[in-house]
Amino acid sequence: MDEITRLLGSIERKRTESVSTQSTGSKLALLHRLHQLMTCVEDLNPKNELHEKVVKTLDYAFLVCGKRANKPKKDSFRLHMVTWNVATADPPDDVTTLLHLNSPKSPDLYVIGLQEVYSGPLRFVSDAVFDDPWSYLLMSLLAPQKYIKVSSIRMQGLLLLFFSKLEHVPFIRDVQATYTRTGLFGYWGNKGGVSIRLSFYGHTLCFLNCHLAAHMNYASERVDEFEYIMDMQSFDCKRAPAIVDHRLVFWFGDLNFRIQDHGMHFVRTCIDKQNYSLLWSKDQLIMMKQKEQVLQEFEEGPLDFQPTYKFDRSSDTYDTSAKKRKPAWTDRILWRLRPKALPPDEENENKVGLDAKKLKQLEEDMEYPLKIRQDVYTSMMEYSISDHKPVIGIFTLELRKMYETPLVRLRAEGDWSADIDAMVVYSPLQPFPSSTWDWIGLYKVDNTCFTAGWFSVLVESLHVCVNFQVGFSSVSDYITYTWVKDDEVAFNEEVIQVYVSKEEIPVQGGDCVLCYYCNALKCIIGISEPFQVQASKVAIEEGMLPERINGLDKAVSGDDF
């Protein structure tokens, strides 16, 4: 059997060589090897166990070699990640450099994980109803750049947000989010992990933002907490029911690992001289990776930036308080690319072939490869609202798309205005789990900010007046929506028409898109081309001009109201 495996390995190498060099000698050697193999196969007894092993090994060889022709091109996507313990501070006025908004290379995806977001009783209740200040700031900055918030999850001070360029949104599916508490024996959410999982062009990704136990002597407890979070979190997804089942996992946050053994003077001297590598051997996470198997599959870029904890606030000076905490790389970003399944007889000498699940995984990994490269891993020293500095990681994901068409194509039928009822036409392009809870939303995309209305909420005797900014910054920012089943007016096998009441269409009009939201997949699966909603002629004739509407809203929201 080893001889056959070695022979097939030689065939694959010769084939690659012949393709790359077009060498006549290589081709002849390959043909000679194939002739030898055919002779061996003809001499085998079909009832012999070796015959079955040869068949399975040949199946694997065809899997390796037979799918190389006419393969689609690979695509590259840029992922910008941020982790920051904000120490209950409100957002700074400007996070442009944190998000690299002025960079000529704009990311396709943003993943932002925050720890210690302020969660006092009053703020936490208001944040449950409205977007918290951090989410609001990030959405308001990224929406004009054509990013929308696809998903977010919060557990007390832990906040995780996932943004995507609008063009990728119909190809982000099976979105789910969950959380795990580890504080106070698992009953309190000041420590733990929040995660978002999804399918990106068919590739399963999971993002896990953690805040682990603090203090120097709790390195083992931090690993235990991480293992507990990994074990506890599960998803309603057959392909990837657990975190480790995902093709690519990012683990990041305030992991709280410290620099041990070295004294304060030595650590600060190394930092001042930028001799960071002298500290790596005593970094607890690097040390724990050497002995903890759960950590060994995770990769991390070199720590070529100064430790991000602990600083005096509003400064770049390390802790000068009475505690004088030693600097440390507490804020980290790691990733794990799922190990490939081994070919037959390498995984287990006593087992013939692969089981169905692993064989399917192997076929998927080979036909739709995924590679990751870290381009940037650094801290942002200019931000000083917290005792931590933010850390960013920029990655390039190179992958072959499993699909390139959305599940649904939809468009606005005819002219749209608040003067007449409107019609949406959509066509399912592929089967998907539709339900009575699916809906189509109307979104404003010209990023013109105006106040759409006002209302008041009573939160523990505090009256809060809220002004809405109309724009497409998240899935929930629809102007109106219609249930696809309840408001369906006509259909055939290819085209379905859905009715929208004129009373739901904005009188001012503007540039809009329609989005089909699939409840089963928890995501948008189709986006129309932008179209113009005309201003209402009836509203204009009755004197409800846009400037008067805006003036009324301004008066309503002003201090004199």
Side-chain angles (χ1 to χ4, degrees), residues 81-99:
M81 297 188 65
V82 177
T83 179
W84 193 2
N85 183 322
V86 298
T88 72
D90 284 330
D93 295 331
D94 186 6
V95 292
T96 300
T97 57
L98 183 69
L99 302 177

Side-chain angles (χ1 to χ4, degrees), residues 279-419:
L279 304 175
W280 294 347
S281 63
K282 296 301 180 180
D283 173 79
Q284 288 180 337
L285 180 53
I286 294 175
M287 295 171 68
M288 297 301 286
K289 282 186 69 176
Q290 296 174 1
K291 60 180 182 179
E292 296 288 347
Q293 188 172 359
V294 70
L295 302 179
Q296 290 172 2
E297 292 179 353
F298 282 86
E299 299 181 57
E300 184 181 19
L303 298 169
D304 286 332
F305 52 91
Q306 69 184 83
T308 53
Y309 174 84
K310 173 183 174 47
F311 290 86
D312 293 338
R313 294 209 189 197
S314 304
S315 78
D316 292 335
T317 304
Y318 284 106
D319 187 18
T320 60
S321 70
K323 293 183 178 180
K324 287 187 169 54
R325 290 185 178 87
K326 191 163 45 173
W329 286 289
T330 58
D331 310 284
R332 312 285 277 268
I333 301 175
L334 298 90
W335 70 93
R336 172 190 181 269
L337 194 61
R338 186 179 63 196
K340 290 185 178 179
L342 295 174
D345 299 308
E346 288 184 29
E347 185 186 51
N348 190 333
E349 293 181 359
N350 299 320
K351 182 178 177 182
V352 178
L354 297 169
D355 59 51
K357 182 179 179 181
K358 290 188 177 180
L359 182 59
K360 186 176 181 180
Q361 175 186 317
L362 177 63
E363 291 175 350
E364 180 182 289
D365 290 353
M366 297 186 63
E367 187 169 2
Y368 301 101
L370 169 64
K371 295 181 180 179
I372 179 172
R373 183 183 73 245
Q374 187 174 55
D375 302 313
V376 175
Y377 189 34
T378 189
S379 60
M380 306 295 288
M381 295 298 296
E382 60 265 44
Y383 293 96
S384 56
I385 61 170
S386 166
D387 55 352
H388 291 250
K389 300 296 183 181
V391 170
I392 65 168
I394 299 177
F395 299 86
T396 295
L397 304 183
E398 186 180 273
L399 57 86
R400 184 168 291 133
K401 297 175 181 177
M402 294 187 187
Y403 42 75
E404 298 194 53
T405 56
L407 295 176
V408 167
R409 178 179 292 122
L410 68 165
R411 71 175 190 274
E413 183 81 354
D415 295 330
W416 277 52
S417 79
D419 298 332

